[in-house]
Amino acid sequence: MVISRNIAPKNFVRLRANNQMDLLGFNEIRLTPEETLRDVARANSGRGLDDETLSALYKKTEGWVAGLMLLMETPETYPPFPAGKTFSPDEVFRYFANEIFDRMDCKTQEFLLLTSFCRP
């Protein structure tokens, strides 16, 4: 398993050509609006999030699960995305990645930083 936000390096082209490796991008792992309303609502039924609120959360995160989970923690303080302004999936990812990282304890942050660059 390789996790990256970039295309696979040339070393992996043979694996892809022989159907021994596949790529999953944002469009393959994002939730649909229906999944957000049905599954996320069911998993968080005790929080009292109605369909309208979940629809608004979906629009802000474009179906990114981690973003939805973060927003549901504090739905009254949605992240500072101005109304009417569009953000790319990469910008939304970076925002939430920083939010998640900042909430981690120092040891976990250090581990992630030390293991984020693997060298052959």
Side-chain angles (χ1 to χ4, degrees):
M1 180 181 294
V2 177
I3 299 173
S4 176
R5 287 192 284 148
N6 300 314
I7 61 169
K10 61 183 176 181
N11 316 29
F12 295 106
V13 172
R14 184 179 199 77
L15 293 172
R16 291 199 59 218
N18 291 316
N19 287 324
Q20 295 175 320
M21 179 182 145
D22 205 354
L23 301 176
L24 296 176
F26 179 71
N27 289 328
E28 288 82 21
I29 62 172
R30 71 194 282 190
L31 295 176
T32 64
E34 295 76 25
E35 291 168 328
T36 301
L37 292 173
R38 183 188 67 230
D39 301 330
V40 176
R42 185 180 308 130
N44 295 281
S45 59
R47 296 190 186 182
L49 299 176
D50 58 28
D51 286 357
E52 186 178 330
T53 301
L54 284 168
S55 292
L57 294 175
Y58 179 84
K59 286 178 185 173
K60 286 193 180 286
T61 62
E62 297 183 5
W64 188 46
V65 177
L68 284 165
M69 296 296 122
L70 279 170
L71 286 179
M72 286 189 303
E73 284 183 21
T74 53
E76 67 281 354
T77 57
Y78 295 139
F81 296 143
K85 188 167 183 181
T86 303
F87 291 85
S88 71
D90 190 51
E91 289 173 311
V92 173
F93 171 83
R94 289 180 186 186
Y95 174 83
F96 287 118
N98 285 330
E99 288 293 306
I100 293 167
F101 187 80
D102 288 345
R103 294 176 188 200
M104 293 178 178
D105 61 88
C106 291
K107 285 190 175 220
T108 304
Q109 287 178 345
E110 183 179 2
F111 171 78
L112 290 173
L113 288 172
L114 290 172
T115 58
S116 64
F117 296 101
C118 298
R119 297 187 184 174

